[in-house]
Amino acid sequence: MDRRDVATWVSGPRAALDAAGIDIGYRGERLELPPDGIGSVAGYGKRFGALFIDWIASALVAHLIFPQFAYGSQQSAVATLLVFFLVKSGFTMLGGASFGQRIFGIRVIALGKPYVNPWRSLLRTALICLVIPAAIWDRDGRGLQDRAAGTVVVRAR
């Protein structure tokens, strides 16, 4: 056994395919998006940052709306999730981006459509709230919530 045999699976599938001479292209190529700049698939760091800001903002709003719930209680967590769902899906419907996404310069677009319709936004946000679909990505950088809703998160600036 050679170090290269182990390195191919430790480095990940993309490195293994590159070592085998197979070109799978850049993220978003199959979706006909540019490789970089405005309109390209947003990076994971920006997405996680936007999600973190959206969650913190939702927790603060939930605490303001329901001050009787002790912070860290189950009622507080459910209230935060409800506020997160309403705010994220509403902002995505109306402007294509949530509060955190606007801060990080990313937005959600529907593939082949001029805007994200309400049903796509509600489905996408419901799957994000379930966590698992949002943690599984394809090679274009889309989570299962984006694949199900027919959307993609792209750079806005």
Side-chain angles (χ1 to χ4, degrees), residues 93-128:
M93 268 186 256
L94 297 174
S98 66
F99 178 69
Q101 289 172 331
R102 291 227 180 254
I103 289 172
F104 277 89
I106 59 177
R107 66 186 178 108
V108 180
I109 61 169
L111 296 173
K113 307 284 183 193
Y115 61 91
V116 179
N117 69 33
W119 296 113
R120 287 178 194 264
S121 177
L122 292 171
L123 173 64
R124 182 179 187 280
T125 307
L127 291 174
I128 289 171

Side-chain angles (χ1 to χ4, degrees), residues 1-10:
M1 180 151 54
D2 183 290
R3 179 183 162 282
R4 289 174 289 168
D5 294 331
V6 175
T8 57
W9 67 266
V10 171

Side-chain angles (χ1 to χ4, degrees), residues 140-152:
D140 289 315
R142 296 189 329 158
L144 291 181
Q145 81 279 5
D146 284 322
R147 289 183 60 97
T151 58
V152 64

Side-chain angles (χ1 to χ4, degrees), residues 28-43:
E29 184 174 17
R30 295 183 309 165
L31 305 173
E32 299 178 0
L33 298 174
D36 54 9
I38 296 174
S40 64
V41 176

Side-chain angles (χ1 to χ4, degrees), residues 35-73:
D36 54 9
I38 296 174
S40 64
V41 176
Y44 300 120
K46 289 185 175 202
R47 291 188 215 180
F48 287 131
L51 183 65
F52 179 76
I53 288 175
D54 288 339
W55 187 260
I56 295 299
S58 297
L60 292 172
V61 170
H63 187 66
L64 291 173
I65 295 173
F66 305 106
Q68 69 272 22
F69 297 152
Y71 185 74
S73 68

